[in-house]
Amino acid sequence: MTSDPAQRGEFDLIAKLFAPLTGGDDRALGLLDDAAVIPQKAGIDTVVSTDTLVAGVHFLMIESADVIARRLLRVNLSDIAAMGATPSAYFLNLSLPSDIGNDWLVKFASGLAADQQKFSLNLLGGDTTRTPGPLALSVTIFGEAPAGHAVRRSTAQVGDRIFVSGTIGDAGLGLARLQDGAGDADHLVQRYQLPDPRVSLGSALRGTATAMADVSDGLLADLGHICEASSLGAIVEASAVPVSDAARLAIGPEDTDVLGLLTSGDDYELVFTVPPGRIDHVHKASVQAGTPVTEIGRMEGVPGEVTVKGSDGGDITPEKTGYRHF
Ligand code: ADP
Ligand code: MG
């Protein structure tokens, strides 16, 4: 028997590397059965989402395995946050090319362990296969919300104020720097590699936000999804969009310089709508979660469309609103 678990077969891999990530959670049945068993709780909705990262599309093989693992969990956690739900468990599907060996997998599992602890969720199962294609990593995540109270995209109201968490556009600039060979000491590279899924803020906004989405494709694209789902328009003030000092240094001072930040993806911030009478609750939720929020506009204008206004009140809406795979 070789010392390389990847060579020893998937059962050893599961027992050595993945069973410890269940944290002894009864629902996982030790990863020894055909499936996990999740008891249902009265009055609670289970919120489920899945996201896949493919080498060369969503990450670069030069990134370290633990960072890739943590980003994989975090992009999934961001979807749970966007529903105002609390994470509870995940499943992990791995399609491994033959050059992925023991050292890579051990490091990958250590990244998962670190973020599982940080965000309080356990691994309950998954699937492991070989692939002739690139490394593909998929997580299915489960969260919980009081029945009927997960925050949707379709329920924004006309006149609602639009808010975003954190700062916008750092990750897009960070990815460009990473591709140009910058290291992970760079703040913008870090913002790309390890997004901060706004899980505490998301659940604190339940009952306050009328609609919410996470910013994965670009702020304008994801706000556009809220507009389409709610059949409302949105007007965003370019000068109000929160931009980090590092991003400000990288772009110019004009309103139009911000447009690139509004259309680059991977921020994993939250964009949400709030009736004017509930803005106090937003600030309370922000303090409680320790996550800054900024008002950037309001729900009005042409249904299904996002309009960006410059400081002089003119329309500076860009043609492309975000990243598209197809
Ligand atoms: P099957 O042959 O039915 O596909 P597997 O041998 O793939 O079953 O899985 C056996 C157990 O190991 C199951 O509980 C499954 O959820 C778990 N498992 C397999 N791969 C992974 C993985 N990558 N992460 C976590 N659990 C896994
Ligand atoms: Mg299987």
Side-chain angles (χ1 to χ4, degrees):
M1 195 183 271
T2 145
S3 66
D4 183 345
Q7 314 258 305
R8 284 199 309 251
E10 63 179 287
F11 297 109
D12 247 35
L13 184 69
I14 293 160
K16 295 255 163 45
L17 282 186
F18 298 131
L21 296 177
T22 66
D25 194 314
D26 291 337
R27 298 173 296 178
L29 304 177
L31 301 186
L32 294 168
D33 219 311
D34 295 301
V37 177
I38 305 180
Q40 300 303 294
K41 300 177 194 162
I44 297 288
D45 281 343
T46 301
V47 176
V48 189
S49 180
T50 192
D51 253 316
T52 299
L53 302 188
V54 178
V57 181
H58 304 96
F59 61 91
L60 310 174
M61 282 312 296
I62 53 162
E63 295 182 80
S64 64
D66 55 332
V67 168
I68 294 168
R70 295 173 76 189
R71 181 145 88 254
L72 175 65
L73 260 186
R74 287 169 182 227
V75 302
N76 277 277
L77 284 160
S78 182
D79 284 320
I80 294 296
M83 300 303 288
T86 303
S88 88
Y90 72 103
F91 287 70
L92 175 67
N93 288 0
L94 304 176
S95 302
L96 306 173
S98 57
D99 60 349
I100 293 292
N102 184 54
D103 291 352
W104 195 94
L105 287 165
V106 167
K107 208 157 187 212
F108 179 77
S110 78
L112 293 176
D115 272 0
Q116 271 185 230
Q117 186 135 23
K118 187 171 161 73
F119 294 100
S120 306
L121 75 173
N122 290 322
L123 179 64
L124 298 190
D127 198 24
T128 307
T129 66
R130 283 292 182 200
T131 176
L135 175 62
L137 311 165
S138 184
V139 158
T140 300
I141 192 162
F142 288 69
E144 295 179 346
H149 291 281
V151 185
R152 318 251 180 115
R153 292 178 174 182
S154 56
T155 37
Q157 303 291 317
V158 72
D160 282 355
R161 304 304 153 89
I162 304 164
F163 285 80
V164 291
S165 63
T167 54
I168 294 299
D170 296 329
L173 293 168
L175 173 59
R177 289 200 178 171
L178 190 65
Q179 286 164 335
D180 287 346
D184 52 17
D186 186 304
H187 172 74
L188 295 173
V189 170
Q190 285 168 14
R191 288 276 289 156
Y192 169 72
Q193 289 193 312
L194 283 184
D196 211 340
R198 305 302 192 179
V199 175
S200 304
L201 179 68
S203 59
L205 287 170
R206 215 170 44 227
T208 295
T210 48
M212 185 151 61
D214 69 327
V215 180
S216 54
D217 295 333
L219 175 63
L220 298 186
D222 291 303
L223 177 57
H225 296 148
I226 290 179
C227 287
E228 279 159 30
S230 299
S231 303
L232 293 176
I235 295 179
V236 170
E237 305 290 338
S239 60
V241 174
V243 174
S244 70
D245 292 344
R248 182 56 72 184
L249 270 178
I251 64 168
E254 305 296 328
D255 285 342
T256 44
D257 294 325
V258 174
L259 293 179
L261 307 186
L262 304 184
T263 55
S264 66
D266 299 315
D267 292 312
Y268 299 105
E269 296 294 349
L270 296 176
V271 56
F272 54 95
T273 58
V274 183
R278 284 194 218 148
I279 289 177
D280 278 1
H281 297 253
V282 174
H283 294 296
K284 271 190 208 133
S286 164
V287 169
Q288 190 189 321
T291 303
V293 298
T294 308
E295 186 178 332
I296 59 164
R298 60 180 70 194
M299 296 303 287
E300 60 184 49
V302 185
E305 277 182 27
V306 181
T307 304
V308 184
K309 297 267 184 218
S311 314
D312 62 0
D315 180 345
I316 56 169
T317 310
E319 248 161 51
K320 166 181 167 287
T321 58
Y323 184 80
R324 277 172 179 266
H325 280 280
F326 299 101

